[in-house]
């Protein structure tokens, strides 16, 4: 109890001394993987010229280069967001010197906040992994899964079940270990997500696929639902706030595949999840919501199709590009996210607002 009161005092003093704006109780970081301005534009025109993204009062642009490349991958991009350091492509929560870097999620957890990760990829994929794991290479999926046993999330939804329960590198069954730790755990084979009302008394994990969720798999549209469930569950799990990262993972994959209609569908799935998050944040009044992308994918171009809503989507490349990507912010502290910023600034600004930024993060 005394420890708890002390922690509260420290938070309170930190707030008064250093922070010019009201401090957000909760931070929700929403990442549209591969979501450049054209992906946003395509979603907007395909959706009768409206998106939930229009509801954000602050917009900015962001530089996305990594330490090793002009064009980042999702691992270096997400590590910039999670740790505030520029690193090499492929790094998961590691600096360019291959040292583990403390993530905003780990800092939140240490400070007694609830934490959550949601993705439409496997939960061990580069973007979510970079918030919880520390490995040299994004390919080490089974090694990444081990970190979910070390840092206990309060809410996790994503694919990648086989990296937990069908492991080649050791004989452990991490799925069972999560149950032993007191998790409510289930998966797509047992029950769809919509059948669950997670009990706030214990952490919740649901696996959406054995490996990567298929874009057309039944029940794959779980992102808006998990956004709603995550905010409800996390806000009950810790009275002093939460950190949630939710990713629209497959905008990127659709653009790699040069599949315009699928890219639009993924964009709109992500925007619906954004709508659910905004509903929570508007009612709550103490939640900072940030939406951005790790990079643009595909060099997407919109050409004149038939009318406004029948889009002619073309791609210049099947790869990521170096274009600046948009940033959107809502809630206490949102004003810090305007202008042209760097991807490492996402971490810096979140950490500054929460009083976690003790020393400058080195390296651009
Ligand atoms: Mg991703
Ligand atoms: Zn990609």
């Amino acid at each position: 109890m005394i420890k708890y009161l002390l922690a509260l005092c420290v938070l309170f003093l930190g707030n008064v001394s250093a922070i010019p704006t009201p401090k957000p109780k909760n931070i929700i970081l929403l990442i549209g993987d591969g979501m450049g301005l054209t992906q946003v534009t395509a979603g907007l025109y395909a959706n009768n010229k409206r998106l939930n993204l229009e509801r954000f009062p602050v917009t900015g642009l962001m530089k996305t280069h990594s330490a090793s490349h002009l064009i980042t991958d999702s691992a270096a991009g997400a590590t910039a967001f999670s740790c505030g350091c520029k690193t090499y492509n492929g790094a998961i929560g590691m600096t360019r010197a291959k040292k583990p870097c403390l993530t905003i999620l780990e800092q939140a957890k240490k400070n007694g906040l609830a934490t959550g990760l949601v993705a439409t990829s496997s939960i061990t994929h580069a973007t979510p992994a970079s918030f919880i794991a520390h490995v040299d290479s994004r390919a080490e999926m089974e090694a990444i899964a081990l970190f979910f046993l070390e840092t206990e999330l309060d809410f996790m939804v994503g694919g990648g079940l086989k990296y937990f329960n069908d492991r080649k590198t050791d004989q452990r069954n991490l799925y069972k270990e999560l149950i032993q730790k007191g998790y409510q755990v289930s998966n797509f084979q047992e029950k769809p997500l919509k059948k669950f009302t997670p009990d706030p008394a214990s952490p919740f994990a649901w696996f959406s696929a054995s490996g990567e969720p298929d874009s057309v798999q039944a029940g794959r549209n779980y992102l808006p639902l998990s956004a709603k469930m995550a905010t409800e569950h996390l806000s009950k799990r810790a009275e002093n706030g939460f950190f949630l990262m939710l990713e629209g993972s497959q905008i990127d994959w659709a653009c790699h595949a040069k599949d315009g209609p699928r890219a639009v569908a993924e964009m709109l799935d992500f925007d619906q999840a954004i709508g659910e998050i905004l509903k929570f944040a508007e009612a709550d009044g103490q939640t900072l919501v940030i939406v951005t992308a790790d990079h643009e994918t595909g060099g997407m171009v919109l050409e004149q199709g038939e009318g406004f809503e029948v889009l002619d989507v073309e791609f210049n490349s099947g790869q990521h590009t170096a274009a600046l990507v948009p940033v959107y912010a809502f809630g206490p502290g949102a004003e810090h996210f305007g202008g042209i910023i760097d991807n490492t600034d996402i971490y810096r600004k979140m950490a500054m607002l929460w009083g976690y930024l003790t020393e400058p993060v080195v390296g651009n």
Side-chain angles (χ1 to χ4, degrees):
M1 188 63 188
I2 287 173
K3 215 168 161 191
Y4 175 71
L5 285 173
L6 271 175
L8 265 186
C9 289
V10 169
L11 283 172
F12 181 70
L13 288 171
N15 187 7
V16 169
S17 59
I19 297 163
T21 55
K23 173 174 156 167
K25 178 180 177 189
N26 312 307
I27 297 182
I28 303 177
L29 177 60
L30 304 168
I31 302 174
D33 199 313
M35 187 190 73
L37 266 182
T38 316
Q39 282 78 1
V40 172
T41 312
L44 187 147
Y45 283 116
N47 194 46
N48 202 21
K49 309 185 192 72
R50 295 318 300 258
L51 283 182
N52 287 309
L53 279 173
E54 292 176 72
R55 294 158 62 189
F56 285 75
V58 176
T59 55
L61 292 168
M62 193 177 72
K63 297 185 269 189
T64 64
H65 63 279
S66 72
S68 63
H69 291 79
L70 170 66
I71 296 176
T72 190
D73 81 326
S74 296
T79 299
F81 297 151
S82 68
C83 294
C85 63
K86 289 278 188 198
T87 187
Y88 59 93
N89 285 9
I92 300 290
M94 297 292 255
T95 67
R96 69 180 91 175
K98 297 197 173 173
K99 296 240 162 60
C101 54
L102 192 64
T103 73
I104 188 82
L105 185 149
E106 290 164 330
Q107 287 182 297
K109 172 114 192 138
K110 274 187 184 151
N111 281 275
L113 276 67
T115 56
L117 291 174
V118 173
T120 46
S121 62
S122 66
I123 200 70
T124 50
H125 208 267
T127 311
S130 297
F131 287 81
I132 191 167
H134 304 278
V135 296
D136 287 353
S137 162
R138 58 185 290 170
E140 297 168 44
M141 293 292 219
E142 291 189 2
I144 289 167
L146 291 171
F147 285 88
F148 288 81
L149 274 296
E150 269 179 44
T151 299
E152 289 178 33
L153 297 172
D154 295 279
F155 189 92
M156 59 187 265
V157 165
L161 176 60
K162 66 179 178 184
Y163 306 116
F164 290 75
N165 72 356
D166 185 20
R167 295 168 60 80
K168 315 293 178 209
T169 49
D170 60 33
Q171 302 312 308
R172 288 174 68 175
N173 185 330
L174 306 183
Y175 189 82
K176 282 194 178 148
E177 289 184 36
L178 283 172
I179 296 169
Q180 284 155 10
K181 272 181 177 283
Y183 269 79
Q184 310 163 72
V185 190
S186 191
N187 67 72
F188 68 106
Q189 287 166 326
E190 285 180 0
K191 251 205 273 189
L193 185 64
K194 61 174 185 258
K195 298 274 185 201
F196 286 91
T197 310
D199 180 354
S202 51
F204 178 79
W206 184 77
F207 290 90
S208 59
S210 175
E212 298 306 330
D214 194 304
S215 64
V216 291
Q217 159 188 333
R220 176 28 202 89
N221 56 341
Y222 60 80
L223 198 62
L225 174 63
S226 51
K228 186 167 181 277
M229 284 174 80
T231 51
E232 282 170 3
H233 189 65
L234 290 170
S235 55
K236 289 178 197 147
R237 288 282 297 163
E239 54 190 40
N240 48 348
F242 66 80
F243 174 79
L244 169 66
M245 192 292 297
L246 177 144
E247 184 197 22
S249 316
Q250 299 199 24
I251 301 166
D252 175 67
W253 301 354
C255 293
H256 279 296
K258 302 187 177 183
D259 185 335
R262 198 177 131 206
V264 166
E266 294 295 345
M267 183 63 224
L268 294 180
D269 185 49
F270 184 50
D271 190 65
Q272 274 183 36
I274 292 167
E276 291 294 342
I277 295 293
L278 280 180
K279 212 183 287 174
F280 170 84
E282 282 167 351
D284 175 69
Q286 302 176 83
T287 301
L288 169 63
V289 184
I290 308 152
V291 186
T292 190
D294 44 3
H295 50 74
E296 195 273 346
T297 303
M300 189 194 251
V301 182
L302 283 184
E303 297 185 344
Q304 181 67 58
E306 294 168 36
F308 278 101
E309 276 123 50
V310 184
L311 302 173
D312 181 4
V313 180
E314 304 289 339
F315 295 89
N316 277 317
S317 141
Q319 303 301 322
H320 303 167
T321 70
L324 299 180
V325 295
V327 181
Y328 306 83
F330 174 95
E335 66 275 18
H336 296 283
F337 293 83
I340 297 182
I341 63 174
D342 189 70
N343 56 4
T344 56
D345 290 329
I346 298 290
Y347 168 82
R348 284 197 190 92
K349 290 169 189 291
M350 293 190 297
M352 178 218 24
L353 285 163
W354 266 349
Y356 299 165
L357 196 61
T358 49
E359 55 194 60
V361 182
V362 181
N364 274 312

